[in-house]
Amino acid sequence: MAVCIAVIAKENYPLYIRSTPTEDELKFHYMVHTSLDVVDEKISAMGKALVDQRELYLGLLYPTEDYKVYGYVTNSKVKFVMVVDSSNTALRDNEICSMFRKLHNSYTDVMCNPFYNPGDRIQSRAFDNMVTSMMIQVC
Amino acid sequence: MEVAAGGGCGAGPPLLLSESEQQCYSELFARCAGAASGSPGPGPPEATRVAPGTATAAAGPVADLFRASQLPPETLHQITELCGAKRVGYFGPTQFYVALKLIAAAQSGLPVRTESIKCELPLPRFVMSKSDAEIRFGNPAELHGKKVQIPYLTTEKNSLKRMDDEDKQQETPSPTMSPLASPPSSPPHYQRVSLSHGYSKLRSGTEQMQPASYETRQPIGQPEGSSSEGPGSKPLRRQASLIRSFSVERELQDNSINYPDEPWRITEEQREYYVNQFRSLQPDPNSFISGSVAKNFFTKSKLSIPELSYIWELSDADCDGALTLPEFCAAFHLIVARKNGYPLPEGLPPTLQPEYLQAAFPKSKWECAIFDSYSESMPANQQPCDLNRMETSVKDMADFPVPTQDATTGDDKQALKSTVTEPLPKDLSEDTATSKDYNSLKARPRSRSYSSTSIEETMKRGEDPPTPPPRPQKTHSRASSLDLNKVFQPSVPATNSGLLPPPPALPPRPCQTQSEPVTEADLHPQLNRAPSQAAESSPAKKDAPHAQPPSKPIRRKFRTENQTTESQEPAAAVGGAASAAVVKPHPTVQKQSSKQKKAIQTAIRKNKEANAVLARLNSELQQQLKEVHQERIALENQLEQLRPVTVL
């Protein structure tokens, strides 16, 4: 039910972005891009606290008419952004949180692969499968 | 010929096939079509009369057949396109024959073109791995039918099959020949890049089934008599007989063993090879290879990085960034398969799963008692036998183990078996008993297993007071083999001999280990205290310093090297040759030297691992530090910006 999932590197370029193909993908890319500002704002707002005290899950970044955008940031400043269809009201915050956690776990698995250089695009099939499951399942 | 009249593929001029080609192709086509339909199908003589255009060969058997031709996949794709099957969507007889002709052309080295098929070509060669054959064509349920046997009687895709059947008849009176058949046929089977090796084991185990199958097949062999082309080598006949035995045994075998994904089954030879490779990277089979080491190693295979990345993803089941021995074997096998043209699977095949790999291969193939069984936990009463076995195994380690412990462990088997809850092979039960010590250290899926400690501890317990954990050495954390070479070069045996702790010979000297590199003055008093080493006066001088850090073998290894060099200078009278000659002072010490060597090696491994982990941790912390620094800088900047505002 997530219509778009993106993994953004620390330097704010995408490592992985995937949206449901039915929609106009450009729109989602744009939304993700603009959401990065919000993410940075949230991170810096919490900047007073130490890094470990900062929450990884950022919550709702901003809502639009049709969509809601959620954010999650890791300790190494890798950001996960998820765009969710607003019509799916049944989706709870903690569900989104658990989805992000799954994403994070898959991401660390990708990292563990010695053939993966940090900063490369993510081409792991396992990661793909996991994202696909997330994008389809909740419908 | 049927081809010209067949459903138009429109690929070009009609095929002109020679007599032999006609027969061969039609038979192959019949097989593919017959097997695809799954029904018993007509006998071979009728196969040649398959009406063109009415039968189609299913893609599966055809794909297998093409793969058996051992052409690269791109060529096969080309052929498929050229023959028109892609266009029409199926393999009609026309397409099939064109494809076969193209395969023959490709195998002869001609380019894959429609023009190639015009000329006279030898028959296409198909090396069928038995696995593919029996999957596609083996039909155990129909084993007892007569006619029914034809589909997998003809599993041999080579037309020599007919000749085989003729021979079969001659062989049936002497079914005892079949056991002889299996060994000679092994070599030709191994043409298939040894991916079907696994069956050599199974083959030898199922000879008894052959007599039964022979009789039923006998009448069928008759109609197959006709011209046969090609070299008709004996091994291929045997191949046929074995394929039959296979199909017989197939239904009798335990399903858990008989996975359909034969290319992914690791044979004994391959297994040993992988284990040896593992050992070259990481001597302790219980431990794991770190990601960077594995990366360097696998990069040598010249596969592309994305493929290697995918293979890693498949094989590193617990995603911890390191490969244990079964994971390593799986990865290696996938690489081997990929290099030989097999496409990578979507998921890890069941025969390559770590649990399967650990269970499937008997202890004899692994290094003696060092066998990591994650799932086993043995009761405590096994301990005494374990220790015994471990002692013996440790001794064997030096001789590079071929299992000789079966004798010693035979009596233990009974006791062990009763306690083993899982239906593992007998050898595995031995392993679990021996390795039950390790189980306490054993990995949960995501944890690291430093199980080598068990053997080291045992060894050390038996020798000297336990040494403190070895500190990281000056060496880099390279592949251990390199360090091994450096460590165990000719000059070092002198050091090693000195590192030997001869407990019976010398009183333990733990205090010595704490001292700094010994000065000359210290050397001499120590010399006096080294009675056993005093073979000669000057060698004794060398020996004593070597014997000095026996109780602290690992840590002082390089110190002793220094000592050796130091002592070499003062003891100038002793030539360099003397040090080499001194290598083996006493026979009692020798055995322990190898033990000690192993202990040192494993300790070095541990060091390396600890090093790697710490290095990783270090880099992560550095990263965090950097980020914190940046934050701090950002904050300071903000402060700067805010300050003028407040001032004003």
Side-chain angles (χ1 to χ4, degrees):
Chain A
M1 144 269 300
V3 291
C4 174
I5 291 182
V7 179
I8 318 286
K10 181 170 155 187
E11 295 83 9
N12 287 337
Y13 63 87
L15 294 176
Y16 180 89
I17 181 163
R18 176 118 155 256
S19 28
T20 53
T22 52
E23 311 271 351
D24 178 12
E25 304 203 14
L26 196 58
K27 180 172 66 176
F28 292 125
H29 290 216
Y30 180 70
M31 284 173 80
V32 169
H33 184 76
T34 50
S35 68
L36 288 180
D37 282 335
V38 186
V39 172
D40 276 340
E41 200 184 297
K42 290 216 177 213
I43 297 179
S44 57
M46 300 196 252
K48 286 175 292 199
L50 292 176
V51 175
D52 8 304
Q53 291 179 14
R54 188 182 64 211
E55 275 290 315
L56 299 181
Y57 176 59
L58 300 175
L60 181 67
L61 296 179
Y62 67 90
T64 63
E65 221 174 57
D66 300 321
Y67 300 103
K68 296 202 202 92
V69 183
Y70 292 88
Y72 182 100
V73 65
T74 70
N75 279 325
S76 49
K77 298 282 175 52
V78 172
K79 305 156 186 86
F80 298 108
V81 175
M82 191 185 311
V83 180
V84 166
D85 204 326
S86 283
S87 52
N88 236 312
T89 49
L91 205 61
R92 305 222 151 275
D93 214 37
N94 50 9
E95 285 176 21
I96 307 260
C97 198
S98 66
M99 284 165 76
F100 273 126
R101 207 135 289 155
K102 269 173 39 181
L103 263 176
H104 196 175
N105 285 335
S106 295
Y107 178 72
T108 45
D109 288 347
V110 169
M111 276 289 149
C112 281
N113 189 332
F115 296 103
Y116 173 79
N117 302 315
D120 289 353
R121 290 187 50 222
I122 297 179
Q123 284 160 328
S124 146
R125 281 191 223 183
F127 192 82
D128 274 344
N129 294 340
M130 196 270 315
V131 168
T132 316
S133 72
M134 251 196 248
M135 294 184 46
I136 303 179
Q137 78 179 7
V138 192
C139 292
Chain B
M1 175 60 195
E2 305 157 344
V3 176
C9 76
L15 263 190
L16 299 174
L17 299 179
S18 67
E19 184 68 26
S20 56
E21 282 176 329
Q22 282 183 24
Q23 282 172 329
C24 170
Y25 291 0
S26 53
E27 189 180 312
L28 290 173
F29 183 76
R31 282 181 207 151
C32 289
S37 62
S39 65
E46 295 135 24
T48 56
R49 280 171 282 166
V50 168
T54 58
T56 60
V62 173
D64 281 343
L65 176 62
F66 286 1
R67 271 206 296 270
S69 67
Q70 292 193 316
L71 291 175
E74 304 81 27
T75 317
L76 294 176
H77 284 316
Q78 263 183 313
I79 290 176
T80 328
E81 283 175 30
L82 268 182
C83 76
K86 282 235 168 105
R87 210 162 348 115
V88 301
Y90 58 82
F91 268 103
T94 320
Q95 292 78 28
F96 192 71
Y97 297 149
V98 173
L100 288 178
K101 191 92 183 187
L102 287 170
I103 288 178
Q107 284 179 340
S108 319
L110 297 174
V112 178
R113 295 270 181 314
T114 44
E115 298 76 29
S116 320
I117 60 176
K118 291 189 200 154
C119 43
E120 274 291 323
L121 290 167
L123 283 181
R125 293 179 302 281
F126 297 103
V127 179
M128 270 316 297
S129 78
K130 298 173 28 150
S131 49
D132 284 349
E134 74 170 12
I135 291 163
R136 294 296 171 191
F137 301 99
N139 203 343
E142 304 173 283
L143 185 56
H144 304 293
K146 296 201 191 255
K147 291 239 169 147
V148 164
Q149 297 205 347
I150 293 161
Y152 63 91
L153 260 195
T154 58
T155 52
E156 261 278 276
K157 298 218 166 146
N158 199 304
S159 57
L160 294 174
K161 202 42 202 31
R162 279 180 292 228
M163 203 166 78
D164 302 342
D165 291 333
E166 289 173 337
D167 293 337
K168 252 321 121 218
Q169 299 172 34
Q170 296 153 17
E171 286 173 5
T172 47
S174 57
T176 52
M177 278 177 66
S178 51
L180 301 175
S182 56
S185 71
S186 309
H189 270 293
Y190 291 1
Q191 299 170 40
R192 189 82 163 141
V193 201
S194 75
L195 281 174
S196 53
H197 268 213
Y199 278 102
S200 54
K201 252 197 323 181
L202 301 170
R203 266 178 236 148
S204 45
T206 57
E207 306 302 329
Q208 311 81 6
M209 307 320 307
Q210 294 189 7
S213 52
Y214 284 176
E215 283 113 30
T216 49
R217 288 182 181 125
Q218 199 170 6
I220 295 146
Q222 301 240 338
E224 296 227 66
S226 54
S227 69
S228 53
E229 54 282 339
S233 52
K234 264 203 195 150
L236 290 166
R237 283 178 231 157
R238 304 286 182 258
Q239 234 179 7
S241 67
L242 287 163
I243 291 177
R244 282 182 211 139
S245 71
F246 245 124
S247 24
V248 175
E249 86 199 24
R250 222 180 147 217
E251 60 174 7
L252 303 167
Q253 264 182 5
D254 187 7
N255 286 335
S256 64
I257 305 178
N258 221 4
Y259 283 103
D261 38 8
E262 306 319 335
W264 309 117
R265 192 183 286 268
I266 301 183
T267 68
E268 287 298 317
E269 282 185 20
Q270 291 175 320
R271 180 62 147 191
E272 284 188 50
Y273 179 68
Y274 300 157
V275 174
N276 287 334
Q277 290 296 314
F278 186 93
R279 280 207 219 111
S280 75
L281 295 175
Q282 165 63 278
D284 181 2
N286 264 351
S287 183
F288 50 87
I289 299 184
S290 74
S292 44
V293 169
K295 174 178 176 177
N296 293 336
F297 182 74
F298 288 138
T299 314
K300 292 189 217 157
S301 71
K302 306 266 191 320
L303 286 180
S304 66
I305 296 290
E307 286 187 351
L308 287 172
S309 176
Y310 182 59
I311 288 177
W312 176 281
E313 221 180 278
L314 285 178
S315 56
D316 190 3
D318 48 5
C319 290
D320 59 356
L323 294 180
T324 60
L325 182 52
E327 290 174 346
F328 177 83
C329 292
F332 212 133
H333 196 72
L334 286 169
I335 288 180
V336 166
R338 183 79 190 104
K339 291 226 78 150
N340 290 307
Y342 281 99
L344 289 176
E346 290 300 314
L348 191 63
T351 47
L352 291 181
Q353 303 272 356
E355 303 81 24
Y356 178 85
L357 286 177
Q358 286 182 352
F361 282 86
K363 170 181 105 170
S364 58
K365 295 302 175 188
W366 298 69
E367 194 157 348
C368 289
I370 305 178
F371 180 79
D372 184 14
S373 64
Y374 284 78
S375 51
E376 286 299 303
S377 59
M378 300 298 296
N381 54 12
Q382 307 292 336
Q383 195 153 22
C385 11
D386 297 343
L387 263 183
N388 284 341
R389 218 166 304 131
M390 262 194 310
E391 303 288 343
T392 57
S393 63
V394 160
K395 285 182 193 129
D396 289 346
M397 268 164 62
D399 315 331
F400 255 48
V402 179
T404 54
Q405 300 149 31
D406 297 339
T408 59
T409 57
D411 45 341
D412 293 318
K413 267 191 212 171
Q414 314 305 328
L416 294 178
K417 265 186 156 169
S418 56
T419 53
V420 172
T421 51
E422 288 180 19
L424 291 174
K426 283 196 306 187
D427 293 330
L428 183 58
S429 65
E430 293 174 11
D431 295 338
T432 59
T434 53
S435 60
K436 77 132 183 111
D437 275 348
Y438 313 142
N439 291 331
S440 51
L441 309 172
K442 222 15 85 198
R444 290 301 146 232
R446 282 208 171 237
S447 61
R448 302 283 158 84
S449 58
Y450 288 91
S451 50
S452 55
T453 53
S454 302
I455 256 206
E456 286 174 47
E457 284 163 19
T458 327
M459 281 169 54
K460 287 184 188 157
R461 252 180 258 132
E463 293 167 354
D464 267 343
T467 65
R471 299 232 192 93
Q473 296 295 329
K474 294 188 271 190
T475 57
H476 336 283
S477 54
R478 289 175 302 183
S480 44
S481 56
L482 295 179
D483 289 320
L484 266 187
N485 292 339
K486 189 169 134 201
V487 167
F488 294 110
Q489 264 165 11
S491 60
V492 178
T495 320
N496 272 346
S497 66
L499 294 177
L500 308 179
L506 293 175
R509 286 183 233 128
C511 54
Q512 294 295 338
T513 66
Q514 307 307 326
S515 62
E516 279 307 309
V518 198
T519 63
E520 258 193 75
D522 291 341
L523 280 179
H524 295 291
Q526 290 160 8
L527 283 179
N528 301 337
R529 282 198 280 164
S532 68
Q533 305 285 348
E536 307 144 359
S537 57
S538 31
K541 272 201 189 123
K542 294 207 79 65
D543 279 347
H546 303 307
Q548 256 345 283
S551 41
K552 197 105 176 272
I554 295 102
R555 176 150 17 128
R556 313 290 300 187
K557 184 162 48 66
F558 285 94
R559 301 276 177 85
T560 57
E561 274 182 327
N562 295 340
Q563 287 177 12
T564 316
T565 52
E566 286 173 12
S567 59
Q568 265 175 1
E569 286 137 21
V574 184
S579 64
V582 152
V583 170
K584 295 174 178 65
H586 286 279
T588 59
V589 176
Q590 259 176 346
K591 195 172 64 171
Q592 284 159 348
S593 75
S594 53
K595 261 199 226 174
Q596 203 57 31
K597 210 188 266 193
K598 284 291 170 187
I600 293 167
Q601 281 176 333
T602 44
I604 291 173
R605 289 304 131 321
K606 282 186 58 182
N607 272 347
K608 300 268 175 305
E609 288 157 25
N611 240 0
V613 170
L614 289 172
R616 224 181 288 178
L617 191 59
N618 189 23
S619 60
E620 281 171 33
L621 290 172
Q622 293 285 349
Q623 180 100 356
Q624 282 196 2
L625 184 63
K626 255 196 290 184
E627 289 171 6
V628 169
H629 272 312
Q630 285 172 3
E631 276 193 70
R632 182 174 162 224
I633 291 170
L635 280 173
E636 286 181 347
N637 280 341
Q638 279 186 6
L639 198 58
E640 289 292 328
Q641 289 163 9
L642 289 173
R643 196 175 291 166
V645 174
T646 53
V647 165
L648 293 175

